[in-house]
Amino acid sequence: MKAHTRVYGTGFVTGEVCVPNERFTKVCDTTDEWIRERSGIQQRYFVREGTATSDLAVDASRKALDDAGWKAEELDYIVVATMTPDYYFPGVGSLVQAKLGLPPIPCLDIRQQCSGFVYGLQVCDALIRAGAAKKLLFIGAEIHSGFMPFSKHGWDVLNGDSDESVTPEEREWNSRFRHLTVLFGDAAGALCVGPTDNPDRGVLGFALHSDGKDATSLYVPSAGFAYRPYFSEEHIREGRYVPFMEGRNVFKMAVTKMPEAIHEVLEKTGLTLDDVKLLIPHQANLRISEGVQKQLKLPDERIYNNIHRYGNTTAATIPIGYDECRKSGKVKQGDLVAFAGLGAGFHWGAALMRE
Ligand code: UT7
C-alpha cells in the first residue's frame, strides 16, 4: 500500500480547569475508587463557561501549525470532527476558519463521535488524493461540559471555586447521571495533513464500519428533529439533554469491534500485527483498552493510554495520544502506528500510518 498523505504537525489543548475525581464526590454519589477501578480515570479537564469548541479547536490548531512550520494563511481546507459544536448549526469548521483569519477556504464538519478521528483521517486522505487540498487542518474537538446536568453552584464546586455542598435534591439529580458524567472531559487535538512524495511514509489504509441498529444504546434523546419542537421544557425537566448510554453494551461492542477492525486493516494492507510498533486506541475506558490489548496479545509498551489524565474527550482522544507519542519520541520515523475507535452511531474502525 502506498502512502499519499502525511502528518506534518500536531498539537492539543484541554479545558482550563483540571477536575480530579475527588471533586465529583462533592456533587454526586460516587467515589474516587469507583471511577479509577471501573474506568482508569483520575482527572479530566473542563472549560470555564464561555469557552466554546471552536476556541479549543483554534488553540490546538495554532500549536499544530507551529509544529509543522506552516502559516495559517497557507491552509486550503479544514476538516473538524466534533459531536459538540458551538451551535446546532453551523458546524465548527467555518468558525475556526474565521477565528484564524483565513480567506474563504472549504470547511467541513463530520459527526462520528468517538470514531471521528479514524473517519476524519480517511476524509483527509481522500481529499488529498483527489488533489482538493495540499495543506489541510484536521481537528478533533469536544466540549462535553454542556451535556452535564450541574447547576451553576455545582460547577463552582467541581471547578474548586466553592466548598459549600450542593443540596440533597441537587445531589440526587446529579447522581442519576453519574455513570456518564465522570467519564468525559473537554479538549481538542489538531493535525496538519498534506501530500507526500514518499510512498513509504504516511497513511496506509482504513477499515471502517457503521451500523445504526443499536444507535439508541448511546445517543441524546433530545435536541433533534425527531421531536417537535426539537428541544422543549419537558426535555430539560427530564434531563434528556444528557446522553443516554447503555454502558455495558457499548463496552462489549468496543472490545469486539476494535480488534476486528485492526485485523481487517492489517489484512487489507498486507501487514501483520508484528509490524505494528504502537496502537493508539480511542480512550473511552482503560478497561476497554485492556480488553483490546488482551485480545491482540500486545505487550504494554505497544499500546498507548492516557485516559487517567484526560477522561474521554471523544474525537480529541487519538490526536492527543498521537501528539504525546510523537513529541515524547515513543513514535519515531519509520514506525507503523495503528489507530482504532468505536463510538455512538455505532461507527467504528481502524487506520494504519507509517510515521
Ligand atoms: O466512547 C464511547 C462512550 N462510552 C463508553 O465507551 C462507555 C463504555 N462503558 C463503560 O465504560 C462502563 O460500562 C461504565 C464505566 C459506564 C460503567 O461501568 P460498569 O462496570 O459497566 O458498571 P455498571 O453500569 O454495571 O454499574 C455498576 C454499579 C451500579 O450499581 P448497582 O446497580 O450494582 O448497585 C451503578 O449504579 O455501579 C454504579 N455506578 C456508580 N457508582 C459510583 C454507576 N456509576 C457510578 C459512579 N460512581 N460514577
Side-chain angles (χ1 to χ4, degrees), residues 49-67:
E49 194 173 6
T51 300
T53 303
S54 63
D55 297 318
L56 289 187
V58 165
D59 291 347
S61 299
R62 290 198 199 283
K63 289 194 171 182
L65 287 163
D66 274 355
D67 187 40

Side-chain angles (χ1 to χ4, degrees), residues 300-322:
D300 290 351
E301 65 275 12
R302 287 175 59 206
I303 181 164
Y304 189 72
N305 290 300
N306 59 14
I307 191 166
H308 56 290
R309 279 180 276 137
Y310 307 112
N312 182 351
T313 59
T314 323
T317 69
I318 296 180
I320 294 174
Y322 178 50

Side-chain angles (χ1 to χ4, degrees), residues 29-31 34 38 114 178-179 182-184 218 245 247-248 250-251 282 284-285 288 312 342:
D29 297 338
T30 191
T31 60
W34 191 97
R38 303 281 175 142
C114 299
R178 63 182 180 170
H179 62 292
V182 299
L183 300 179
F184 291 90
L218 179 51
M245 179 172 77
R248 297 232 149 183
V250 182
F251 193 103
H282 167 59
N285 186 324
I288 292 177
N312 182 351
L342 173 133

Side-chain angles (χ1 to χ4, degrees), residues 34-253:
W34 191 97
I35 303 170
R36 278 178 198 247
E37 269 180 17
R38 303 281 175 142
S39 72
I41 296 166
Q42 297 174 18
Q43 60 175 44
R44 75 287 295 138
Y45 293 82
F46 291 129
V47 293
R48 289 213 175 259
E49 194 173 6
T51 300
T53 303
S54 63
D55 297 318
L56 289 187
V58 165
D59 291 347
S61 299
R62 290 198 199 283
K63 289 194 171 182
L65 287 163
D66 274 355
D67 187 40
W70 290 5
K71 291 193 175 65
E73 54 272 25
E74 294 169 353
L75 293 169
D76 57 8
Y77 219 114
I78 296 176
V79 177
V80 182
T82 185
M83 60 173 217
T84 53
D86 297 20
Y87 309 115
Y88 188 87
F89 71 83
V92 169
S94 62
L95 305 179
V96 171
Q97 170 267 340
K99 286 183 180 181
L100 285 173
L102 304 183
I105 58 171
C107 301
L108 188 66
D109 277 44
I110 66 157
R111 291 182 48 159
Q112 267 60 35
Q113 292 66 250
C114 299
S115 52
F117 179 82
V118 283
Y119 265 81
L121 192 62
Q122 188 184 51
V123 170
C124 296
D125 185 40
L127 288 168
I128 283 166
R129 282 169 187 257
K134 287 203 163 49
K135 289 204 165 173
L136 192 157
L137 185 60
F138 173 35
I139 306 159
E142 261 8 303
I143 290 189
H144 289 105
S145 33
F147 280 138
M148 307 271 166
F150 312 122
S151 66
K152 266 205 178 313
H153 176 57
W155 274 114
D156 285 345
V157 175
L158 269 181
N159 288 343
D161 296 336
S162 169
D163 271 337
E164 205 182 306
S165 332
V166 299
T167 62
E169 295 74 29
E170 198 175 328
R171 195 173 174 87
E172 194 186 332
W173 170 255
N174 293 345
S175 297
R176 278 178 52 181
F177 309 99
R178 63 182 180 170
H179 62 292
L180 191 116
T181 50
V182 299
L183 300 179
F184 291 90
D186 302 338
L191 283 76
C192 290
V193 183
T196 176
D197 292 334
N198 180 352
D200 298 325
R201 200 171 172 204
V203 176
L204 295 175
F206 299 89
L208 302 180
H209 298 275
S210 298
D211 187 344
K213 81 174 156 35
D214 289 317
T216 53
S217 282
L218 179 51
Y219 78 125
V220 180
S222 174
F225 293 86
Y227 309 103
R228 190 180 291 178
Y230 79 108
F231 198 72
S232 66
E233 276 178 43
E234 188 193 345
H235 289 184
I236 295 181
R237 230 181 5 257
E238 294 172 356
R240 286 165 57 174
Y241 54 90
V242 182
F244 170 83
M245 179 172 77
E246 287 173 347
R248 297 232 149 183
N249 194 24
V250 182
F251 193 103
K252 246 186 276 164
M253 285 194 68

